[in-house]
Amino acid sequence: MKLTLSVIKADIGSIAGHVAPSRRLREAVEAFIRERAPSLLLDHYISHTGDDIAILMTHTRGEGDEQIHKLAWDAFLSGTAEARQEGLYGAGQDLLKDSFSGNVKGMGPAVAEIEFEERPNEPFLFFAADKTDPGAYNLPLYLAFADVMNTPGLILSPKMSQGFRFVIMDVNHTSGDRVIELNAPEEIYDIAALLRDPERYVVESVWSRASGEQAVAVATSRLHNIAGKYTGKDDPVMLVRVQMNFPATGEVLAPYAIGHFVGGGMRGSHQMPLMPVTLNTGISYFDGPPVVSCAGFCVHNGKLTEPIDGFAQPFWNTVRDRVSSKAMDMRRQGFIGTAMLPMSELEYTGIAEKLASLDKRFAVRAETTAPAASKR
Ligand code: F6R
Ligand code: MG
Ligand code: MG
């Protein structure tokens, strides 16, 4: 059967700052979806990662379906009403438009969708990250789909040896989707040259070259591009199909042991290491560190199994300890150099305003003529 996985997420309010949505907010979203689901969805799963709430849906209506997107939008509106009643911080903050116009893309919520012919066994992973932007997945995807040091399947499996096609988006381009398609392994240096700048070039999808099937879908929207100003970090979701022609679950998870530095953390304006966390984890140290969760499923005839928590296994405790140390090391550097994001990525205007006013106080010192050297 041809199945669509759609995950749509938004920050519509949270307790104690940008930490976690309230239980009543989550229940409001869940109740709304449960009530409307029977006519549209085969199954759904609702979770939160940091202050973002995500609705994962299975259906047969294809990508970008108006009714599916409206269902999520209306569920977020219902959650926002609850958030306002409770006085949650940032109630409705990611719902940037007043009325729904066919598709939540460009309206604030993040979307990742894949349509595919369901395999007899269909395992997939749903990632959600908070306090960071979509480029946070660049390195883990490069390692999982293009680097044999991470993914032995690239040499062990004849199908995977045919490589993967990366679709990469220039997210600075706001009038339409500007994308490039590059093939691994032949073009890995070109892929790397783009992915090194995760604030601008973002992996949007990855495809098997052996079968033509889509393996990965990433939510690539950038809130500051939509709203014209920063309204928060984008906190991207991602779907990854695994096993058979695709990397194994462990090959996709392994890169998160690095705890690589990503844009995010305190006021959306700092470089912090990405911490893999268990499902439904909140935020703490320095409004971070940026977190990523992973729920693994099998789906059969559109019905989801219960989720497996990709980062709950004891192995990840050591990783979390290491990431905590990395985070504290970076914080010792305060506001200097790479600790804070470049000007274009700051969520606030304070520094730009200060620089503009200080600029007027700069003066070019009059050149002093050096005394002539005495001749002997
Ligand atoms: C992302 C997130 C942050 C905030 C940022 C601004 O989930 O919560 O990027 O958007 O910390 O916070 P306030 O609302 O204090 O300006
Ligand atoms: Mg937030
Ligand atoms: Mg968030």
Side-chain angles (χ1 to χ4, degrees):
M1 89 188 263
K2 203 146 202 199
L3 183 73
T4 311
L5 300 178
S6 298
V7 57
I8 305 187
K9 79 93 222 174
D11 177 350
I12 50 171
S14 53
I15 304 177
H18 294 277
V19 174
S22 69
R23 182 172 46 80
R24 279 164 54 186
L25 186 162
R26 296 200 308 270
E27 283 169 2
V29 172
E30 171 86 53
F32 191 94
I33 296 286
R34 214 179 313 112
E35 191 187 309
R36 309 290 171 98
S39 58
L40 282 177
L41 303 181
L42 296 170
D43 211 347
H44 70 274
Y45 167 75
I46 292 170
S47 60
H48 82 91
T49 299
D51 58 8
D52 298 290
I53 185 153
I55 310 170
L56 172 65
M57 298 169 276
T58 66
H59 57 94
T60 53
R61 305 180 61 88
E63 292 173 31
D65 180 76
E66 179 165 352
Q67 291 196 50
I68 297 293
H69 282 228
K70 181 151 184 1
L71 175 69
W73 179 261
D74 288 345
F76 289 141
L77 282 181
S78 156
T80 296
E82 179 57 43
R84 293 219 163 96
Q85 213 159 48
E86 284 189 85
L88 297 189
Y89 188 67
Q93 72 156 52
D94 281 0
L95 308 184
L96 301 178
K97 305 277 158 81
D98 292 332
S99 56
F100 180 76
S101 58
N103 189 311
V104 296
K105 269 192 184 162
M107 299 183 70
V111 193
E113 299 186 290
I114 308 190
E115 186 184 28
F116 54 85
E117 201 59 54
E118 197 185 88
R119 296 172 288 176
N121 311 288
E122 186 58 68
F124 75 93
L125 307 175
F126 154 49
F127 290 87
D130 187 35
K131 306 292 178 269
T132 189
D133 44 42
Y137 295 124
N138 278 7
L139 177 63
L141 290 175
Y142 175 83
L143 293 173
F145 287 87
D147 186 346
V148 74
M149 290 292 282
N150 178 87
T151 301
L154 293 169
I155 50 173
L156 291 171
S157 149
K159 286 268 172 61
M160 282 176 60
S161 284
Q162 293 180 46
F164 290 90
R165 179 162 56 92
F166 284 69
V167 181
I168 298 168
M169 185 181 283
D170 173 359
V171 293
N172 276 7
H173 189 86
T174 48
S175 54
D177 292 348
R178 186 164 185 262
V179 293
I180 185 170
E181 298 193 3
L182 293 169
N183 283 326
E186 303 92 300
E187 297 177 299
I188 54 167
Y189 295 164
D190 297 324
I191 293 170
L194 293 175
L195 300 192
R196 65 160 280 282
D197 183 356
E199 257 65 63
R200 172 145 190 201
Y201 300 108
V202 176
V203 178
E204 180 202 53
S205 57
V206 182
W207 303 71
S208 160
R209 292 172 69 195
S211 66
E213 288 176 290
Q214 184 170 1
V216 176
V218 181
T220 50
S221 60
R222 304 240 27 215
L223 283 172
H224 72 301
N225 292 342
I226 300 169
K229 63 180 171 57
Y230 254 115
T231 58
K233 275 282 172 259
D234 311 280
D235 307 337
V237 284
M238 170 169 76
L239 295 167
V240 184
R241 297 171 69 203
V242 289
Q243 307 291 153
M244 319 258 279
N245 295 341
F246 306 130
T249 301
E251 289 168 333
V252 175
L253 293 180
Y256 296 91
I258 296 170
H260 63 297
F261 285 98
V262 296
M266 183 50 71
R267 299 180 182 275
S269 303
H270 292 80
Q271 301 273 15
M272 296 282 281
L274 184 64
M275 179 182 279
V277 293
T278 55
L279 300 174
N280 302 310
T281 294
I283 291 298
S284 178
Y285 175 69
F286 202 61
D287 275 7
V291 292
V292 59
S293 68
C294 172
F297 295 92
C298 275
V299 59
H300 188 55
N301 295 329
K303 286 280 168 217
L304 296 166
T305 58
E306 72 269 28
I308 290 297
D309 191 331
F311 297 129
Q313 215 255 2
F315 170 84
W316 298 97
N317 294 335
T318 308
V319 172
R320 284 188 270 274
D321 288 347
R322 269 196 41 242
V323 173
S324 298
S325 300
K326 264 178 101 162
M328 288 188 287
D329 278 349
M330 183 58 115
R331 288 311 313 136
R332 285 193 189 100
Q333 202 172 307
F335 55 89
I336 296 289
T338 51
M340 200 181 266
L341 285 167
M343 285 286 285
S344 57
E345 291 297 319
L346 299 178
E347 260 191 51
Y348 295 79
T349 53
I351 296 201
E353 284 163 24
K354 276 187 181 53
L355 291 184
S357 83
L358 290 174
D359 194 60
K360 298 182 201 110
R361 292 174 52 190
F362 271 91
V364 178
R365 191 177 285 140
E367 225 172 84
T368 51
T369 38
S374 56
K375 286 186 185 147
R376 300 229 163 142

